[in-house]
Amino acid sequence: MFAPDLIGRDFTAPRPGMRFVGDMTELSTLEGKVYLATCIDLATREVVGWAMADHHRAELPVAALRMAAGRGGLEQGCVMRTDRGSECTSDEFSSKIRKLRMRQSMGRVGSCYDNAAAESWFVILKAEIGTTMWETREAARADVFRYVEVEYNRSRLRRHPDYGYITPLETRSLLQEAPGRVRRPRPESLDLRAGSTSTSHPHRGTGRVDRLHASRD
């Protein structure tokens, strides 16, 4: 079942829980392919749901949705944007969308730009995870877990137009704490904007910085 395009190429949201994008990619292992499905909150760019399997049937993106819902914060009537792949046009996926009281949205056929926010995240993952071939599917799953839940959501710095360089989890916390309130960037954010080579923070590990994908990409 095809769904209308509800957001165009406006990959932003004023607060968490309003707009999500999702997609799937494949990773290579010596045991064969393993597939990854994601659900990303456009307000924070946090990966709130993800799932991996040795297949790419509809139950895979459904599992990613289930994780996102389990973490809470889905507003009633929020939008889930995907491409028009068979998994996301399936009755199983559409049924899960309705059950979660979300609204389904799809880009145009053959237009990668209509789902650029979801697809660009896979580019970041594959560039930073540092592995192109794993020995086993379980090893790939362990590395993806570490990257998503530790390195990306909790440690990766990304420029927010109001708060400066902060992580996805910090973005969610700030937006939920004071929705609509604009705060001055923190000192280290100003240093980064001025071209400082330091990207670390005393409480944030390595602190990778996403300079290429600004908050309104």
Side-chain angles (χ1 to χ4, degrees):
M1 181 182 74
F2 294 126
D5 184 352
L6 300 178
I7 66 174
R9 294 180 184 174
D10 179 11
F11 302 123
T12 63
R15 61 183 181 273
M18 288 186 63
R19 287 180 169 183
F20 301 86
V21 292
D23 202 0
M24 291 192 293
T25 193
E26 64 180 39
L27 303 174
S28 298
T29 81
L30 295 179
E31 295 179 338
K33 300 290 187 183
V34 62
Y35 299 89
L36 168 65
T38 56
C39 179
I40 300 171
D41 191 316
L42 284 178
T44 64
R45 297 306 172 97
E46 178 187 359
V47 180
V48 293
W50 61 279
M52 296 181 71
D54 60 359
H55 62 80
H56 55 89
R57 296 189 295 271
E59 61 196 76
L60 185 59
V62 166
L65 279 180
R66 189 178 300 115
M67 178 186 285
R71 288 180 167 176
L74 301 187
E75 291 191 4
Q76 184 172 338
C78 63
V79 174
M80 179 62 189
R81 168 67 168 274
T82 66
D83 60 19
R84 297 194 177 201
S86 60
E87 301 85 2
C88 295
T89 58
S90 67
D91 290 340
E92 183 177 355
F93 187 78
S94 298
S95 176
K96 187 63 175 179
I97 291 283
R98 292 191 298 271
K99 184 176 181 180
L100 293 174
R101 298 184 178 181
M102 303 175 80
R103 292 181 293 159
Q104 191 168 7
S105 174
M106 294 179 181
R108 294 167 295 179
V109 175
S111 177
C112 61
Y113 298 108
D114 284 357
N115 207 32
E119 294 186 13
S120 64
W121 187 84
F122 289 134
V123 174
I124 295 172
L125 166 74
K126 292 177 180 180
E128 295 189 349
I129 205 166
T131 302
T132 57
M133 175 70 73
W134 286 264
E135 289 190 7
T136 65
R137 292 187 175 98
E138 187 56 38
R141 185 176 290 106
D143 277 357
V144 170
F145 172 85
R146 184 182 66 251
Y147 181 78
V148 172
E149 301 296 351
V150 179
E151 296 183 19
Y152 180 81
N153 282 343
R154 297 177 182 274
S155 301
R156 196 177 200 279
L157 300 176
R158 189 171 184 282
R159 186 177 65 80
H160 188 278
D162 297 328
Y163 300 111
Y165 283 91
I166 53 178
T167 69
L169 281 176
E170 287 175 326
T171 306
R172 173 156 59 93
S173 178
L174 287 169
L175 291 176
Q176 289 176 336
E177 171 187 295
R181 178 184 172 192
V182 176
R183 290 174 43 155
R184 297 176 62 184
R186 299 180 308 188
E188 67 270 20
S189 303
L190 295 174
D191 289 341
L192 286 167
R193 287 176 174 176
S196 169
T197 58
S198 174
T199 61
S200 62
H201 186 280
H203 305 296
R204 199 179 296 124
T206 58
R208 289 192 177 99
V209 177
D210 184 359
R211 297 179 183 275
L212 298 179
H213 301 275
S215 290
R216 299 189 183 278
D217 57 2

